[in-house]
Amino acid sequence: MATRILRRTGVSNEICERLKRREIESCKDLLSLTPVEVMNAAGLSYEKASVLLQSVSKAIAPPFTTLFWQALELWKQHSDSCFSTSLPALDKLLRGGLPRGTITEVTGPSGCGKTQMCLMLSVLATLPKSEGGLDSSVIYIDTESAFSAERLVEIARSRFPGYFSSKERVLQMAARVHLFRELTCQDVLNRLERLEEDIISTGAGLIILDSVASVVRKEFDTTLPGNLIHRSNLLSHEATTLKYLAHQFNIPVVLTNQITTHVGDQGSAVSAEVDSSFVTAALGNTWSHSVNTRLIVQYVDAHQRQILIAKSPVAPFAVLNYTIQKQGICIDGCVISHLLSMECYSGVRVHRAESSCCSVFPAHIHLLQKKRRDTLGWKQISSHSESGSL
Amino acid sequence: MLGYVSWRDVLKKLTLAVTMQRPVSSLPLSPGMKLKLVGAGFQSTADLILLKPLQLSKETGLSQQEALEVLQAVRKDGGGGEGSTSLTALELLQKEEETRSIITFSSQLDAALGGGLPVGKTTEICGAPGVGKTQLCLQLAVDVQVPQCFGGVGGQVIYIDTEGSFLLQRVIDVATAAVRHCSLLVEDDEQRAAMMTFTMETILSNIFLVRCHDYVELLAELHLLPDFLSDHPRTRLLVIDSVAFPFRRFDDLSQRTRLLQGLAQQLVAMATRHQVAVVITNQMTTRLQGNQSQLVPALGEGWGHAPTIRLLLQWAGSRRLASIFKSPGNVDATVQYRITSDGFRDADQSEQPQRKRPRTQTDQSASSQPDRRLLRCLSDV
């Protein structure tokens, strides 16, 4: 909208010519100027410059609607505002599922089940509405080459044996998942710029980007000066594009992220048994603002895993236990508790960070941190991940 | 030739010219006209006072229409330009006592703010992701519609969403809870009648939602807002959630600063002229100082001057705290709050009982404090 050419908004040719000489051709260029600059560029008096700005604004500003009409529209179309994840406990907490038109992030350590979750959601999206799906294609942007078509088929066959009993249905489902392999940041950005056309041509109802963090962390070394700003700019650009697409087409967007260790302040008075660092989602604080819903997956021990709802406009903090089976993700029974204080987290030790800086997450949302690498060791977990997941 | 002009007129104009002289380049005219005026030798408005349009056009080469425009601009400036009327502080005090504040349904925060968010001023809410900024904005969007006999403002709200975090379902939850609260408080017929106007349908129809995808759409929307506010005089709240998101990927920081200053000026002008409370949400950014990193509000130091009141929402362990860290009329304070399924509420129920709250000497009719009955009921729930 902002790149609309001035000539098309009804501005007179003479003024367009004058502005063109100063290289002001689109609405974006004009509205980025102050009124005095507009006066100088267009050669108009103050009042006329204000009128010009008003008319150009009218051409590109999005319209006002009252919520009442929006609610009525939603009710008339019988459209759901959520994408059900087929995990009833999670859906109940999220009041229906992953909200459409917003960005949902799944973050966690490697091998925990993020790609499994993405594969499972891809299968769900292709199911017809009667089975709880979106009946649409899926756009899967893969940056780590972790996508496996065999696993997709296995999940489909195990989770919905009744529906995928015949081979054509399986092949039909597989044909609806469109995979794009992008291995550099610039490739990802180019793909996102062109995604609008892809969404329309494939009739996509779900966008999955797995993972955002891997390309960015490979290419940007944040210890070098200036790289942090570039990285933030790139991520903001990606976030803005994805939000725009999600909103315009009213589809859910799912991203995966990695985790990083946040080193606490060395100088603060820290008691001996509490570590001063904690793990949080990668990509920084700015990125945390950009996602609308954040789900954290983590290990409890070698066999148990958990999914936490860390940021959501409708759900409180909550923890669910799950395991990864042949049919994808299975949630065991009930919610542990709604986390209000650390004591609720019974039976599991949580290391609390005592850092002096204002923490991005509340302390009890910090991921479990292994104090010494050999207890429960990363080695054990990595072998588990090689066998159990992809 | 001047023609016949009375000496009295000339004296009057000369006096005005001496007291109010402006250089020609500062007049609100197009640059082409100013060039011609300066080229013909007119340096200040004093030179133009005694002229008629025809003579001006002959001397400068402007068309008759343009010459008339120049003289009108000069006259408007020199003649009636005493500036805006001045107010005494007493009149302002009376005006301030009449305007109500927008309650937040958290009585501790309302008490710290002196009644709630003031109408006619800009307030900024900043905080880490997930701490509750959007929740507070949604709560305010419902609270501004509470009828006046319950202690509210009874106005409409414009909600500009730049992040896509506005969810209809959540507004419905918050509105249901608010309607339930107020219907428990109904005591007389006036309030019963007012409850008819405070239902789910009316609440939803009084919220105007706009979704802006980038900073250009946001600026365009703000250019159009003054007209919208004149058409809808009942609007009492403008929420921009958030103002930081569209401005975070700017390469040219000086342009960003200029645009933000312009935006801030427009918001302040709208707040005072149309008696609207402007609420802006800001994000936090990491600032590196040597080895330490600190979270500070985004958009730079200069932006901090724009809003009148600044609230910081943060975590302390597992508690949520709201701090006022810039306010000309209130002491800096920190209160605890929580987010429930009903919306933004006080943290615990064991707050001080009603009688210990300091009494102010304002009377009920012109009070800027929220209605005591509403406060009492909130602390009971």
Side-chain angles (χ1 to χ4, degrees):
Chain A
M1 278 293 231
T3 48
R4 214 161 161 193
I5 311 281
L6 280 173
R7 207 178 290 267
R8 296 202 50 245
T9 61
V11 177
S12 75
N13 277 338
E14 194 195 329
I15 299 183
C16 280
E17 285 302 312
R18 281 190 227 162
L19 291 172
K20 200 164 171 183
R21 265 177 257 143
R22 308 277 193 115
E23 292 173 19
I24 301 171
E25 279 188 286
S26 70
C27 296
K28 179 175 172 178
D29 302 326
L30 185 67
L31 285 174
S32 305
L33 303 174
T34 61
V36 174
E37 285 170 344
V38 174
M39 273 169 68
N40 278 337
L44 296 170
S45 68
Y46 183 74
E47 279 145 15
K48 292 211 182 111
S50 307
V51 168
L52 172 66
L53 281 173
Q54 285 267 2
S55 62
V56 169
S57 301
K58 244 181 236 169
I60 74 167
F64 285 100
T65 48
T66 62
L67 277 193
F68 186 63
W69 290 116
Q70 280 194 10
L72 214 57
E73 285 295 318
L74 273 179
W75 182 78
K76 268 193 222 160
Q77 291 167 10
H78 295 284
S79 62
D80 293 316
S81 56
C82 292
F83 169 39
S84 156
T85 56
S86 82
L87 303 164
L90 186 61
D91 283 345
K92 188 158 168 243
L93 285 171
L94 291 175
R95 312 287 296 275
L98 304 180
R100 284 205 210 191
T102 62
I103 300 186
T104 306
E105 185 194 60
V106 180
T107 185
S110 70
C112 218
K114 309 187 291 289
T115 308
Q116 299 299 302
M117 173 78 101
C118 292
L119 291 172
M120 197 182 76
L121 291 173
S122 314
V123 172
L124 285 174
T126 56
L127 287 178
K129 296 224 166 96
S130 54
E131 301 275 331
L134 296 176
D135 196 17
S136 63
S137 322
V138 176
I139 291 187
Y140 197 111
I141 305 179
D142 184 12
T143 63
E144 292 178 319
S145 302
F147 184 87
S148 157
E150 282 172 7
R151 179 68 178 138
L152 187 76
V153 168
E154 190 187 9
I155 292 180
R157 278 228 173 94
S158 315
R159 206 174 185 97
F160 303 100
Y163 184 73
F164 287 112
S165 47
S166 70
K167 198 161 177 193
E168 299 118 43
R169 283 225 178 118
V170 173
L171 293 176
Q172 207 181 41
M173 180 274 296
R176 281 176 113 179
V177 177
H178 301 264
L179 179 69
F180 297 100
R181 283 217 164 96
E182 312 291 344
L183 298 169
T184 69
C185 280
Q186 197 52 44
D187 285 342
V188 171
L189 213 54
N190 292 341
R191 175 62 57 192
L192 288 179
E193 300 281 325
R194 289 199 305 263
L195 208 59
E196 208 172 317
E197 299 163 10
D198 295 322
I199 296 176
I200 298 177
S201 61
T202 59
L206 173 66
I207 303 177
I208 297 184
L209 176 49
D210 178 20
S211 74
V212 168
S214 64
V215 271
V216 170
R217 292 175 94 188
K218 270 193 298 206
E219 291 188 20
F220 288 94
D221 178 8
T222 50
T223 53
L224 297 175
N227 265 10
L228 195 56
I229 302 180
H230 277 300
R231 195 181 85 158
S232 289
N233 278 352
L234 175 83
L235 288 172
S236 301
H237 194 161
E238 284 186 16
T240 315
T241 317
L242 284 170
K243 281 195 193 211
Y244 173 70
L245 292 170
H247 181 245
Q248 293 292 94
F249 293 102
N250 200 28
I251 55 180
V253 174
V254 176
L255 311 165
T256 54
N257 194 359
Q258 296 170 351
I259 54 166
T260 181
T261 315
H262 181 112
V263 179
D265 185 17
Q266 255 69 17
S268 69
V270 166
S271 55
E273 63 264 20
V274 178
D275 220 327
S276 68
S277 61
F278 49 87
V279 283
T280 80
L283 300 182
N285 178 40
T286 312
W287 177 253
S288 305
H289 279 292
S290 305
V291 304
N292 298 109
T293 310
R294 176 170 265 168
L295 303 172
I296 302 185
V297 293
Q298 62 184 8
Y299 292 101
V300 175
D301 54 35
H303 306 288
Q304 278 281 56
R305 304 174 196 210
Q306 282 177 339
I307 185 167
L308 284 97
I309 303 179
K311 178 182 180 189
S312 163
V314 285
F317 297 129
V319 181
L320 296 166
N321 276 339
Y322 75 93
T323 50
I324 300 193
Q325 316 271 4
K326 207 165 153 204
Q327 66 262 38
I329 300 211
C330 296
I331 294 220
D332 313 335
C334 54
V335 179
I336 290 187
S337 66
H338 287 241
L339 290 181
L340 291 176
S341 64
M342 311 257 286
E343 290 78 84
C344 300
Y345 224 26
S346 54
V348 179
R349 274 182 309 144
V350 176
H351 293 280
R352 186 173 175 173
E354 299 278 335
S355 58
S356 63
C357 65
C358 174
S359 62
V360 175
F361 290 122
H364 57 284
I365 293 291
H366 295 152
L367 302 184
L368 300 180
Q369 190 206 344
K370 312 293 180 288
K371 236 198 207 172
R372 279 172 301 163
R373 292 282 157 109
D374 47 285
T375 57
L376 266 207
W378 292 115
K379 289 210 186 102
Q380 284 180 12
I381 292 188
S382 54
S383 65
H384 174 89
S385 71
E386 268 157 24
S387 57
S389 63
L390 271 154
Chain B
M1 284 295 296
L2 278 180
Y4 178 72
V5 178
S6 92
W7 284 109
R8 215 181 288 271
D9 288 326
V10 173
L11 209 57
K12 191 164 68 176
K13 284 181 188 172
L14 277 175
T15 336
L16 277 172
V18 162
T19 50
M20 298 238 189
Q21 248 191 28
R22 265 176 83 163
V24 155
S25 52
S26 67
L27 289 171
L29 301 166
S30 75
M33 289 203 269
K34 283 193 253 188
L35 260 171
K36 285 188 188 157
L37 285 171
V38 170
F42 293 101
Q43 299 294 335
S44 79
T45 52
D47 305 334
L48 293 166
I49 285 279
L50 296 176
L51 283 185
K52 300 257 179 177
L54 283 175
Q55 175 153 21
L56 184 62
S57 83
K58 265 186 236 156
E59 285 194 23
T60 55
L62 292 166
S63 76
Q64 291 168 0
Q65 208 59 18
E66 287 172 342
L68 184 60
E69 206 182 312
V70 170
L71 289 174
Q72 276 173 347
V74 169
R75 226 168 275 151
K76 200 170 21 162
D77 203 60
E82 313 105 24
S84 49
T85 54
S86 66
L87 287 176
T88 63
L90 182 62
E91 290 162 8
L92 208 55
L93 185 65
Q94 284 162 354
K95 227 162 85 166
E96 273 180 10
E97 278 182 359
E98 276 165 16
T99 54
R100 289 157 169 274
S101 314
I102 304 178
I103 55 177
T104 60
F105 268 57
S106 156
S107 48
Q108 287 181 346
L109 186 59
D110 288 338
L113 286 169
L117 282 163
V119 169
K121 303 233 164 53
T122 40
T123 309
E124 184 198 55
I125 304 174
C126 40
V131 75
K133 307 184 289 291
T134 308
Q135 301 296 313
L136 179 54
C137 292
L138 294 177
Q139 184 70 57
L140 290 169
V142 171
D143 289 347
V144 74
Q145 301 179 43
V146 169
Q148 288 193 342
C149 49
F150 286 104
V153 168
Q156 297 178 321
V157 51
I158 305 175
Y159 197 106
I160 302 184
D161 182 17
T162 59
E163 286 183 326
S165 44
F166 188 92
L167 284 183
L168 185 59
Q169 184 56 43
R170 188 65 183 142
V171 176
I172 292 179
D173 290 343
V174 172
T176 321
V179 169
R180 204 174 51 227
H181 267 313
C182 289
S183 46
L184 289 175
L185 289 179
V186 167
E187 281 172 4
D188 54 31
D189 286 331
E190 189 199 346
Q191 291 183 336
R192 213 159 293 151
M195 277 311 290
M196 295 295 183
T197 62
F198 190 59
T199 63
M200 182 58 65
E201 286 166 4
T202 56
I203 293 180
L204 290 184
S205 3
N206 283 335
I207 303 181
F208 295 94
L209 175 70
V210 183
R211 174 88 163 87
C212 291
H213 294 107
D214 54 31
Y215 76 94
V216 186
E217 290 187 14
L218 180 62
L219 291 174
E221 208 58 68
L222 287 175
H223 280 297
L224 298 179
L225 269 182
D227 285 339
F228 185 90
L229 289 173
S230 314
D231 291 337
H232 296 84
R234 270 185 59 210
T235 314
R236 286 286 162 274
L237 176 64
L238 166 66
V239 179
I240 305 185
D241 179 24
S242 67
V243 81
F245 182 70
F247 283 101
R248 297 209 67 181
R249 44 170 285 228
F250 253 81
D251 296 320
D252 183 1
L253 282 182
S254 59
Q255 189 194 27
R256 186 180 91 164
T257 315
R258 265 185 304 136
L259 289 177
L260 283 173
Q261 300 286 9
L263 197 135
Q265 271 179 345
Q266 280 179 312
L267 290 174
V268 170
M270 266 192 280
T272 28
R273 210 170 292 149
H274 296 99
Q275 280 303 298
V276 169
V278 176
V279 173
I280 321 170
T281 317
N282 197 359
Q283 293 177 350
M284 303 292 270
T285 183
T286 321
R287 185 165 66 185
L288 296 163
Q289 280 176 328
N291 285 344
Q292 297 183 21
S293 70
Q294 209 189 1
L295 278 183
V296 296
L299 299 180
E301 285 293 320
W303 175 254
H305 297 291
T308 316
I309 299 180
R310 297 181 89 186
L311 285 176
L312 172 65
L313 305 181
Q314 59 192 341
W315 298 103
S318 56
R319 299 182 301 155
R320 299 182 201 239
L321 298 177
S323 316
I324 305 174
F325 72 102
K326 176 186 175 187
S327 170
N330 308 100
V331 174
D332 288 355
T334 304
V335 304
Q336 195 180 338
Y337 69 92
R338 64 193 167 109
I339 311 277
T340 66
S341 54
D342 290 340
F344 193 86
R345 294 286 186 274
D346 272 323
D348 50 49
Q349 310 315 314
S350 59
E351 39 176 344
Q352 52 193 7
Q354 188 74 2
R355 65 177 180 280
K356 289 215 190 106
R357 201 164 298 172
R359 291 202 179 279
T360 58
Q361 61 272 31
T362 54
D363 48 312
Q364 257 335 54
S365 55
S367 87
S368 60
Q369 297 271 351
D371 204 353
R372 296 216 175 275
R373 294 169 290 181
L374 188 60
L375 272 181
R376 204 183 321 142
C377 194
L378 284 173
S379 62
D380 287 341
V381 172

